[in-house]
Amino acid sequence: MKQSFWKFFFLIWLVCISNASHALEVIEILGGKASQIPVAVIPFKDNNAQKSMQLMHEVITNDLNRSGLFSSIDISGVSDYPIDEREVNFSNWAALQSQFIVVGKIDAIGRSNSQMQVTWSLIDIYKEKTVLSVAIKGQPSQYRVIAHRIADTIYEKLTGSKGVFDTNIAFVKKLGKEKYSLFIADYDGHNPRAIVNSRYSIISPRWSPNGKKIAYVSFEKKKPVIYVQDIETGKRTLLANFRGNNSAPAWSPDSKKLAIVLTYSANSQIYTIDADGKNIKQLMRTRSINTEPAWSPNGKEIYFSSDRAGSAQIYKVDVDTNEVVRVTFEGNNNVSPSLSPDGKLLLFLNQDNGSYRVAIQNLLSNQMLKLTNGPDDESPIFSPNGHMVLFTYKDYGKVSKIGTVSINGLKMTPIDVGSETILESTWGPLSD
Amino acid sequence: MRLPWLENNDNLQANLFTLVIHLALFIFMIFSVNWQVKTPYYAEVELWDAIPTQIKPKPLIKRATPKVQKPQPSIAEKIVEAKKDADIQLKKKKAAELKKKKAAELKKKKAAELKKKKAAELKKKKAAELKKKKAAELKKIEQLKKKALEEEKLAELQKRLLEDEEVEKVQKKLLEQDDLERLQEELRNKDLAKETRIAIEGTQDLVAGTNSGELEKYKALIQQKIYQNVNKQLCGLDPLELIFEIVLMPTGDLIGGAKMIKSSKIESCDQAVERAILQAQPLPMPQDNRLFSQLKKLKLKFQPNGPIN
Amino acid sequence: MKNSLLLASLLAILAAGCSTTDINDSMGLNAPFPELESSTGDGSEVDLIGSSQGKELNQSALDELAAAAELADRSVYFDYDSFAIKSDFEGVISNHATFINKHDAAVVVYGNADYRGSHEYNLALGQKRAVAVKQALEALGVNGSAIETISFGEEHANQTCTGSTCGQDRRADIGYVGE
């Protein structure tokens, strides 16, 4: 009895040994690529007969493409429009090199079918399963907002970062010889509406981080002064009209203070002032130009441009200790600094050989990356998630336009706001 | 004077007259002889610096140099004279000294000028020599440069040749391997008895065992294919690490997906890496069973933002 | 005892009065902000030349200004990215200095820049040019507090200028209050 037990045990042990895995081979993969996720956005099935709905898939496709992290698959040759996982032929989509598809349908709901409900899914082709399935309700006239929100949800799911497709931008247009207007619009340029009309120039529009107000510089008093305007009510107050110039308003991260630039009959210097106009404090005193202040997201440092070294370069000053450190060293000069929302990247204009272009610099490694070529690129600002940059540029017609460029440098897309010349532009915050 | 005795004797007159003539002629003869001795031009010529001093003819009449008696001067006059003399002497001396000095100065000046001239000439000469030397050096440097460039070119050419050789070698090796694999395939496809099969696999065992480069080759191929798909943009900027385990079929397809052993803590990054693995199917797999069994289960380690130190 | 106390207090007063700043005060950096109370928040506005100490030009002065050929030229031009006053323009400045001193005039110097570069940096550059002209006027005896400086940056510039035509925009203009 004992013998057969041990025999059995021995056999089992043999089998186990023979099946025993060797130490696993290890393969190390170092680094990676900046590539775009191929996505196909299929037209949603419209049970509603409202033609505008058919454009939703285009809005989603444009949003994802503009971000530079996605590339849309050409579906012109596809006749099969699934609306959910059950209808998807996975091998077909895999053959088209698509990693994900977005499908959905639109139903009319509510009393007299006045509302619509969009039911959509994000489907993973390789895993052959649905990643997300969501239903959204809204008015037919809101189809663009709904499409932007769908794009945001997809973006967040696949990249881990918030999408910015439902945010706003502001820009100043010169409509005629003595006709300037400050507009607010969807981030892609749709639905523009003027919030200030003036016979004189308007520059440096800046949204407060809480999204409620916008500060700007106006020349309507025959000299530059700073206004702060409530976006919802349109009511404005004069923040700074000191002797000389008043310009370059920059909101602190908590929206309570602004850094501004005054000349007070001498060269441009940086001050801080409370949002209600009180408590003005001079931040530094030098014989050189100090201008274009920009706060770091933690509120501890202010970046600015200065010609103290001979040519315009970017520096940062510690708000408490007043210690100044130079930040940029490449090219002829560097101006217009701003910080990414995570504080890790500096965005600015780099000039060399006479061309102004948009550039970013990693503040840890100090590596610089040129995002555009110029020659007259200006007014750069990050999107609220730090993945895109809005800027103005001159096309061959010598008219200034606006566009976005992804921070991986892969995608530059114009924003269509008409043919008049743009002076400056800025990006609004994420809505909470 | 009247010589009476001479006037009365005609014979005597005549005899005296002939005697005088003969005497005159005799004297004349003597003088002629002397005169002839004076100038033997064609007989012998001796060259001297100075004109040969002719033997002066004796003057027939000696002129008497009249002696002028100088009046004896008085003592005072003598003193004055002496002073005058002394002055004159002094002046003379001074003049002589001055002359000497001037002469000496002139000599010095001339000597100095000569020295200068010589020095200038020397300088010129030296400058010319230096120039020559420099030119020679430059030439040398040029030659060296040329040589170095040529050597560089040569080295590069050699390098390129070597590289080409290397490439050829590798290509050759790959071709050999291809041949070997083809042979193995052919054998495998034949309907052989199990024992024969074991025998062949056994041989292959030996081949596979000694050729560990094969394993590394396939690992590299797998690594490359997956790397092409890793979208590191979704992994932020900070260094992080992910580890997956996969099980493969001989076709290179995964069995049961990719199992995450270590997460990056960023969901989009985990998903991006998993996608990269799935998208890389079918992974390059060896035909050789023994080799395949070593690659059947793999541990994949990712560091998309660079090495973690 | 009393004497030493007096001495000590005198010294203390002296010491307090001797605190120095490292910036030349003619740049107005230490000047207080008289408009602080009147601007901001409540929307009230400050006059352009509210605190200047010069006088607005009266009619006869204006006539003189219009008639004087040497005062017709109001502009000082600058090289690219520069605020240095070139010798070509010393005449313009001195002519106006004479006029200003004669009438104790209130002056505004307007600084400008060409369109290249950011709007805000160009505001600062235009300002530096205006200040350069102001300092040149002060060197000729003009009272600094009679000179206001304003910059328009690139806001009046030709946005499509090329090469040498951009030079027109790099200038500072002398203006008089009252004209």
Side-chain angles (χ1 to χ4, degrees), chain C residues 38-144:
Chain C
S38 54
S39 87
T40 81
D42 60 348
S44 60
E45 291 152 18
V46 173
D47 277 333
L48 181 64
I49 317 293
S51 58
S52 167
Q53 285 181 19
K55 285 193 291 210
E56 188 172 327
L57 292 181
N58 59 22
Q59 191 54 49
S60 71
L62 282 171
D63 291 339
E64 190 185 328
L65 181 64
E70 78 275 10
L71 294 177
D73 198 351
R74 303 292 194 92
S75 305
V76 176
Y77 293 90
F78 296 83
D79 287 337
Y80 180 62
D81 207 21
S82 167
F83 52 94
I85 296 186
K86 299 192 279 191
S87 55
D88 305 9
F89 301 102
E90 283 167 7
V92 171
I93 292 173
S94 87
N95 289 340
H96 283 278
T98 308
F99 182 81
I100 296 166
N101 283 332
K102 180 175 174 188
H103 295 279
D104 202 13
V107 178
V108 184
V109 182
Y110 298 97
N112 296 275
D114 69 35
Y115 80 88
R116 289 171 290 188
S118 66
H119 285 259
E120 281 290 348
Y121 195 84
N122 280 329
L123 260 185
L125 184 57
Q127 175 66 15
K128 232 177 173 179
R129 289 171 177 156
V131 169
V133 170
K134 172 177 172 176
Q135 288 174 335
L137 288 169
E138 283 180 295
L140 293 173
V142 179
N143 181 5

Side-chain angles (χ1 to χ4, degrees), chain A residues 73-91:
Chain A
I73 299 289
D74 178 15
I75 57 167
S76 52
V78 174
S79 51
D80 151 47
Y81 290 174
I83 60 165
D84 62 30
E85 188 184 321
R86 292 165 295 182
E87 298 180 9
V88 175
N89 185 329
F90 289 99
S91 51

Side-chain angles (χ1 to χ4, degrees), chain B residues 164-176:
Chain B
D164 286 340
E165 272 182 32
E166 282 296 320
V167 169
E168 270 192 58
K169 268 195 210 160
V170 170
Q171 283 178 342
K172 218 174 173 189
K173 211 175 182 184
L174 284 170
L175 279 169
E176 284 175 356

Side-chain angles (χ1 to χ4, degrees), chain A residues 52-210:
Chain A
S52 57
M53 302 313 136
Q54 294 166 14
L55 298 176
M56 278 175 82
H57 78 282
E58 279 182 15
V59 175
I60 299 170
T61 303
N62 290 339
D63 285 349
L64 295 176
N65 275 345
R66 187 186 282 276
S67 71
L69 290 181
F70 297 89
S71 62
S72 55
I73 299 289
D74 178 15
I75 57 167
S76 52
V78 174
S79 51
D80 151 47
Y81 290 174
I83 60 165
D84 62 30
E85 188 184 321
R86 292 165 295 182
E87 298 180 9
V88 175
N89 185 329
F90 289 99
S91 51
N92 280 358
W93 292 106
L96 283 174
Q97 303 288 324
S98 180
Q99 284 185 12
F100 295 92
I101 59 172
V102 181
V103 300
K105 64 182 170 93
I106 308 163
D107 296 304
I109 57 166
R111 223 173 317 171
S112 61
N113 287 348
S114 55
Q115 271 212 323
M116 64 172 187
Q117 174 163 297
V118 181
T119 314
W120 64 276
S121 304
L122 174 68
I123 299 173
D124 186 325
I125 297 298
Y126 284 105
K127 287 188 182 169
E128 296 190 6
K129 64 171 198 182
T130 303
V131 177
L132 280 177
S133 195
V134 184
I136 305 184
K137 279 187 250 196
Q139 299 297 325
S141 57
Q142 293 172 311
Y143 79 94
R144 289 196 78 90
V145 175
I146 293 174
H148 288 317
R149 291 202 181 151
I150 292 173
D152 275 343
T153 310
I154 295 169
Y155 194 89
E156 195 171 340
K157 184 67 187 170
L158 294 182
T159 69
S161 300
K162 282 219 159 281
V164 295
F165 307 119
D166 191 24
T167 56
N168 292 318
I169 60 172
F171 51 90
V172 180
K173 252 199 197 183
K174 184 173 180 178
L175 299 164
K177 188 162 188 288
E178 279 191 353
K179 216 166 169 230
Y180 297 81
S181 288
L182 174 61
F183 286 89
I184 289 183
D186 295 354
Y187 97 101
D188 60 359
H190 281 256
N191 292 328
R193 50 247 183 234
I195 61 169
V196 182
N197 293 312
S198 173
R199 287 172 60 202
Y200 303 94
S201 188
I202 300 168
I203 61 171
S204 305
R206 288 286 182 272
W207 235 292
S208 60
N210 62 15

Side-chain angles (χ1 to χ4, degrees), chain A residues 180 201 203-204 217 219 221-224 227 237-245 247-249 262-269 271 273 276-278 280 282 285-289 291-292 305-307 311-312 333 335-336 349 351 354 356 376 378 394 398 423-424, chain C residues 21-24 27-36 39-48 51-52 80-81 83 110 115-121 123-125 127-129 131 134-135 144-156 159-162:
Chain A
Y180 297 81
S201 188
I203 61 171
S204 305
V217 177
F219 284 79
K221 291 190 180 300
K222 314 289 178 59
K223 61 172 243 184
Y227 283 98
T237 54
L238 184 58
L239 177 77
N241 181 6
F242 296 97
R243 183 173 170 192
N245 296 356
S247 71
L262 305 180
T263 58
Y264 207 72
S265 292
N267 288 331
S268 305
Q269 302 296 326
Y271 299 72
I273 189 171
D276 61 3
K278 301 199 172 87
I280 184 147
Q282 188 161 11
R285 297 174 174 194
T286 70
R287 291 187 174 279
S288 53
I289 289 172
T291 185
E292 301 187 298
S305 54
S306 170
D307 68 348
S311 66
N333 57 56
V335 294
S336 299
L349 290 177
Q351 189 262 90
Y356 279 92
D376 289 313
E378 288 179 26
K394 282 200 163 86
K398 285 288 189 174
L423 266 70
E424 299 223 282
Chain C
T21 55
D22 39 339
I23 304 291
N24 180 2
M27 291 190 73
L29 292 173
N30 272 347
F33 297 103
E35 297 91 62
L36 191 56
S39 87
T40 81
D42 60 348
S44 60
E45 291 152 18
V46 173
D47 277 333
L48 181 64
S51 58
S52 167
Y80 180 62
D81 207 21
F83 52 94
Y110 298 97
Y115 80 88
R116 289 171 290 188
S118 66
H119 285 259
E120 281 290 348
Y121 195 84
L123 260 185
L125 184 57
Q127 175 66 15
K128 232 177 173 179
R129 289 171 177 156
V131 169
K134 172 177 172 176
Q135 288 174 335
S145 50
I147 309 173
E148 180 85 45
T149 53
I150 297 290
S151 171
F152 290 121
E154 64 174 89
E155 304 314 310
H156 292 176
Q159 294 288 329
T160 57
C161 71
T162 48

Side-chain angles (χ1 to χ4, degrees), chain B residues 247-276:
Chain B
V247 181
L248 293 156
M249 290 197 278
T251 56
D253 292 300
L254 269 64
I255 305 172
K259 183 174 166 198
M260 184 163 69
I261 306 297
K262 181 178 179 185
S263 160
S264 65
K265 308 288 193 310
I266 300 174
E267 193 193 339
S268 56
C269 187
D270 290 346
Q271 289 180 3
V273 171
E274 190 192 356
R275 266 204 301 279

